[in-house]
Amino acid sequence: MKRALGVCYYPEHWPQDMWAQDAANMGAAGITWVRIGEFAWSRIEPKPGVFDWDWLDQAIDVLAQAGLKIVLGTPSATPPRWMLDQFPDMLAVDERDQPRKFGSRRHYCHSHIGYRDAAAAMAAKMGARYGHDPRIAAWQIDNEYGCHDTVISYSDAARVAFRNWLAQKYQSTSALNRAWGNVFWSMEYDTFDQIDLPNLTVTQANPSHEMAFRRFSSDQVVAWNAAQVAALRPLTDAPLIHNYMGRVLDFDHFAVARDLDIASWDSYPIGFLSDRLEGTPEHKARYLQQGDPDMQAFHHDLYRAMNAGRWWVMEQQPGPVNWAPYNPAPLPGMVRLWSWEAFAHGAEVVSYFRWRQAPIAQEQMHAGLMRPDDVAAPGLGECTAVAQEMAQMPEVQNAQSPVALIFDYASDWAWKVLPQGADFDYFRLIFEAYRALRRQGLSVDILPPDCSGLSGYQLVLAPGLATMPQSLIDAMAQTTAPCLIGPRSNCVTDELSIPLPMGPALPGLDTTVARVESLPPGTSRAVEGGGTLVHWAEDVTGTADTLFKGNDGATIVAAHNNLHYLAGWPDDALWDRIILTLAQKTDLILTPLPDGLRLRDTATHRFVFNYNPGPVQWQGHEIAAAGVKWWPL
Ligand code: GAL
């Protein structure tokens, strides 16, 4: 696997006489890939049907002459203002039925066929011009689906498309009424045209209705992406990529990835810590300038699962961002650390966002590798250092990790629709499990719920997996590795209703969840031997063995052979005990780590990352603040 560095560049923001020097400077910094074009629609097609390719041709020329490989973006995340004159109803509509206005980006509804076709036509135009141009070495389709809350739309276009989707799925309203339980509150329909989108109802809409709408909305993103794939595929052999955004879960990324060649994601560690992660004030203060020690790794492992292991970081934070509530600068060393961490998890390319800070518009406060006045910013030195180290460090190959963690987008939708307790968030649950594994020095593979098998894994976790596919149930029956499911695993149908027999209903594990409770902040249930349940507790019945017990005698972990059911949401101390107990049932080696130190094992090397603001001594090594070390395994 060849590693490389890249950068995001916007030639349309800068005078043309700067391009050649920019390209030369990129090369001098060790950058070999450059992404361009993804927001440039108004310059490519300034008026409907009037195209200006000259500037793009010249930009491609200049960049390629400096030896850079180009990722060309399709500009569909930023339809120009004239597009709205053509399609006034193309805007997404929010939950209050208000259209979201022009004036930033992602101002479109995925269900609007007119705009979907226009975007695919633009992709085809670009493909016709550059598809066989060897300087275009990859394509990015659109930009960050779902970012800025743009999957769910209550537009007229969505309503029409939803009715069609329902008619196809259920064939008759009587089947739909049965599946959704519409007899409850006299919600039965006679025709598909009577069915509205599930917003602005007097009280909660039927969860089955909402879940169907969630599934539909995800399918619309898949179809939207597929339209551009269909336009580009016949015109190019270069790989097609999308750049997903961290903790954006409203659509199924595995499903989008099936139409693409390489997965990529946009990594903003300090922005994420401030903006989209739970954590105590102490945790947020400690990692203020480093980001959470597990957030980046989690997404690296997630995207490695999508396209047979081919994935990139398309955008890497290079300095302070502009969009979080607070925007501290990375500690010296962190840009290097994040870059090496991505490579250690198998990234082919790490591409910094952006080359030069733009002095204009929304992101004028967002750092680049260069300052707006064209002086190097601190990120550039670290990028150059990584490039030099890459030349010395042999390529590393991925190895299968000892642990598998199942991740399922539909479970996030299920628990958003039916949380039953304000703190039951699927990502948070999965992420706490992931962290607990990493505290023990474990490398983790994230797998989709319909993964092809579990062979080679020594431990498998699937917390919160709302509905388990039969193939996963079979795979868990076939492996001897300890498998842990729960809380809330296999306890609802696809339609989001309670199955009979009640869950988890795993063959061989006689355990039934008889009652669930959600626990408000500040309350917990103590567990014998240490640790507590927080947020969520379940009462289970059945003949399975009890492995962990509450102080009140309640079963916390039930077990039979390799199958384990976790009847609640563990705090960190309980997660540590559970993982230790499961590891002892197999030959999994745990390497408990000091706070903020993280490991990643490749086929040949062990990498150690220090997310702490100070040095750490570990196993005879001193790892500097924001430091990275590696050695052969
Ligand atoms: C990403 C986006 C980029 C830029 C960046 C700023 O979400 O793809 O275009 O806005 O954030 O951090």
Side-chain angles (χ1 to χ4, degrees), residues 10 35 38-39 105 143-144 147-148 243 245 266 268 315 321-323 353-354 363 366:
Y10 300 87
R35 183 193 67 176
E38 83 278 10
F39 300 130
R105 63 177 171 185
N143 191 80
E144 288 185 348
C147 192
H148 318 308
N243 59 331
M245 181 55 163
D266 297 344
Y268 292 94
E315 298 180 13
V321 302
N322 64 304
W323 44 261
F353 181 91
R354 57 177 60 207
E363 291 179 349
H366 191 297

Coordinates of all heavy atoms in Angstrom, one line a residue, residues 10 35 38-39 105 143-144 147-148 243 245 266 268 315 321-323 353-354 363 366, ligand 1:
Y10 N -8.1 25.6 -3.8 CA -9.2 26.3 -4.5 C -8.6 27.3 -5.4 O -8.6 28.5 -5.1 CB -10.1 26.9 -3.4 CG -10.7 25.8 -2.5 CD1 -10.0 25.4 -1.4 CD2 -11.8 25.1 -2.9 CE1 -10.5 24.3 -0.6 CE2 -12.3 24.1 -2.1 CZ -11.6 23.7 -1.0 OH -12.1 22.6 -0.3
R35 N -6.7 18.1 -4.2 CA -8.1 18.0 -4.6 C -8.6 19.4 -4.9 O -8.4 20.4 -4.2 CB -8.9 17.5 -3.4 CG -10.4 17.3 -3.7 CD -11.3 17.1 -2.5 NE -11.3 18.3 -1.6 CZ -12.0 18.5 -0.5 NH1 -12.8 17.5 -0.1 NH2 -12.0 19.6 0.2
E38 N -14.5 21.1 -6.0 CA -15.8 20.6 -5.4 C -16.8 21.7 -5.0 O -17.9 21.3 -4.8 CB -15.5 19.6 -4.2 CG -15.3 20.2 -2.9 CD -13.9 20.7 -2.7 OE1 -13.1 20.7 -3.6 OE2 -13.5 21.1 -1.5
F39 N -16.4 22.9 -5.0 CA -17.4 24.0 -4.8 C -17.4 25.0 -5.9 O -17.9 26.1 -5.7 CB -17.0 24.7 -3.5 CG -17.0 23.8 -2.2 CD1 -16.0 23.8 -1.4 CD2 -18.1 23.0 -2.0 CE1 -15.9 23.0 -0.2 CE2 -18.1 22.2 -0.8 CZ -17.0 22.2 0.0
R105 N -24.1 26.4 1.7 CA -23.9 25.2 0.8 C -24.9 24.1 1.2 O -25.6 24.2 2.2 CB -22.5 24.8 0.9 CG -22.0 24.3 2.2 CD -20.6 23.8 2.2 NE -20.1 23.6 3.6 CZ -18.9 23.2 3.9 NH1 -18.0 23.0 3.0 NH2 -18.6 23.0 5.1
N143 N -19.9 16.6 -1.7 CA -19.0 16.9 -0.5 C -19.8 16.7 0.8 O -20.8 17.3 1.0 CB -18.5 18.3 -0.5 CG -17.4 18.6 0.5 OD1 -16.3 18.3 0.3 ND2 -17.8 19.2 1.6
E144 N -19.3 15.8 1.6 CA -19.9 15.5 2.9 C -21.4 15.4 2.9 O -22.1 16.3 3.5 CB -19.4 16.6 3.9 CG -18.0 16.5 4.3 CD -17.5 17.4 5.3 OE1 -18.3 18.4 5.6 OE2 -16.4 17.3 5.9
C147 N -23.7 16.5 6.1 CA -23.2 17.6 6.9 C -24.2 18.7 7.0 O -25.0 18.9 6.0 CB -21.9 18.0 6.3 SG -21.0 19.1 7.5
H148 N -24.2 19.5 8.0 CA -25.2 20.6 8.3 C -26.6 20.0 8.3 O -27.5 20.7 7.9 CB -25.0 21.7 7.3 CG -23.6 22.1 6.9 ND1 -22.7 22.4 7.8 CD2 -23.0 22.2 5.7 CE1 -21.6 22.7 7.2 NE2 -21.7 22.6 5.9
N243 N -16.2 12.0 0.4 CA -15.6 12.3 1.7 C -16.8 12.5 2.8 O -17.5 13.4 2.8 CB -14.8 13.6 1.6 CG -15.6 14.8 1.2 OD1 -16.6 14.7 0.4 ND2 -15.3 16.0 1.6
M245 N -18.3 12.8 6.7 CA -17.9 13.6 7.8 C -18.1 12.9 9.1 O -19.0 12.1 9.3 CB -18.8 14.9 7.8 CG -18.6 15.9 8.9 SD -16.8 16.5 8.9 CE -17.0 18.0 9.9
D266 N -13.4 13.2 6.7 CA -12.8 14.5 7.0 C -12.6 14.6 8.5 O -13.5 14.5 9.3 CB -13.7 15.6 6.5 CG -13.9 15.5 5.0 OD1 -13.0 14.9 4.3 OD2 -14.8 16.2 4.4
Y268 N -11.4 16.3 11.8 CA -11.2 17.6 12.5 C -11.2 17.4 14.0 O -12.1 17.7 14.7 CB -12.3 18.6 12.1 CG -12.2 19.0 10.6 CD1 -12.8 18.3 9.6 CD2 -11.3 20.0 10.3 CE1 -12.7 18.7 8.3 CE2 -11.1 20.4 8.9 CZ -11.8 19.7 8.0 OH -11.6 20.0 6.7
E315 N -9.8 15.2 4.2 CA -9.5 16.6 4.8 C -9.0 16.3 6.2 O -9.6 15.7 7.0 CB -10.8 17.4 4.9 CG -11.4 17.7 3.5 CD -12.7 18.5 3.6 OE1 -13.0 19.0 4.7 OE2 -13.4 18.5 2.6
V321 N -9.9 25.3 13.5 CA -11.0 25.4 12.6 C -11.8 26.7 13.0 O -11.5 27.4 13.9 CB -11.8 24.1 12.6 CG1 -11.0 23.0 12.2 CG2 -12.6 23.9 13.9
N322 N -12.9 26.9 12.3 CA -13.7 28.1 12.6 C -15.1 27.7 13.1 O -15.8 28.6 13.6 CB -13.9 28.9 11.3 CG -14.7 28.1 10.3 OD1 -14.3 27.0 9.9 ND2 -15.8 28.6 9.8
W323 N -15.5 26.4 13.1 CA -16.9 26.1 13.2 C -17.4 25.5 14.5 O -18.5 25.3 14.7 CB -17.4 25.2 12.1 CG -16.4 24.0 11.8 CD1 -15.5 24.0 10.8 CD2 -16.3 22.8 12.5 NE1 -14.8 22.8 10.8 CE2 -15.3 22.0 11.9 CE3 -17.0 22.2 13.6 CZ2 -14.9 20.7 12.3 CZ3 -16.6 20.9 14.0 CH2 -15.6 20.2 13.4
F353 N -6.7 20.0 4.8 CA -7.7 21.0 4.4 C -7.2 22.4 5.1 O -7.3 22.5 6.2 CB -9.1 20.7 4.9 CG -10.0 21.7 4.5 CD1 -10.7 21.6 3.3 CD2 -10.3 22.9 5.2 CE1 -11.6 22.6 2.8 CE2 -11.2 23.9 4.8 CZ -11.8 23.7 3.6
R354 N -6.8 23.3 4.4 CA -6.7 23.5 3.0 C -5.3 24.1 2.7 O -4.5 24.3 3.7 CB -7.7 24.5 2.5 CG -7.6 25.8 3.3 CD -8.5 26.9 2.8 NE -9.9 26.6 2.9 CZ -10.8 27.2 2.1 NH1 -10.5 28.1 1.2 NH2 -12.1 26.9 2.3
E363 N -15.2 30.8 5.9 CA -14.1 30.1 6.5 C -12.8 31.0 6.7 O -11.7 30.4 6.8 CB -13.8 28.8 5.8 CG -15.0 27.8 6.0 CD -14.9 26.5 5.4 OE1 -14.0 26.3 4.5 OE2 -15.7 25.6 5.7
H366 N -10.5 29.9 9.4 CA -10.1 28.5 9.4 C -8.7 28.4 8.9 O -8.4 28.8 7.8 CB -11.0 27.7 8.5 CG -10.9 26.2 8.6 ND1 -9.7 25.5 8.2 CD2 -11.8 25.3 9.0 CE1 -9.9 24.2 8.4 NE2 -11.2 24.1 8.9
Ligands
GAL1 C1 -15.5 20.2 6.0 C2 -15.8 20.6 4.6 C3 -14.8 21.6 4.0 C4 -14.6 22.7 5.0 C5 -14.1 22.1 6.3 C6 -13.8 23.1 7.4 O1 -16.7 19.9 6.7 O2 -15.8 19.5 3.8 O3 -15.3 22.1 2.8 O4 -15.8 23.4 5.2 O5 -15.1 21.3 6.8 O6 -13.3 22.5 8.6

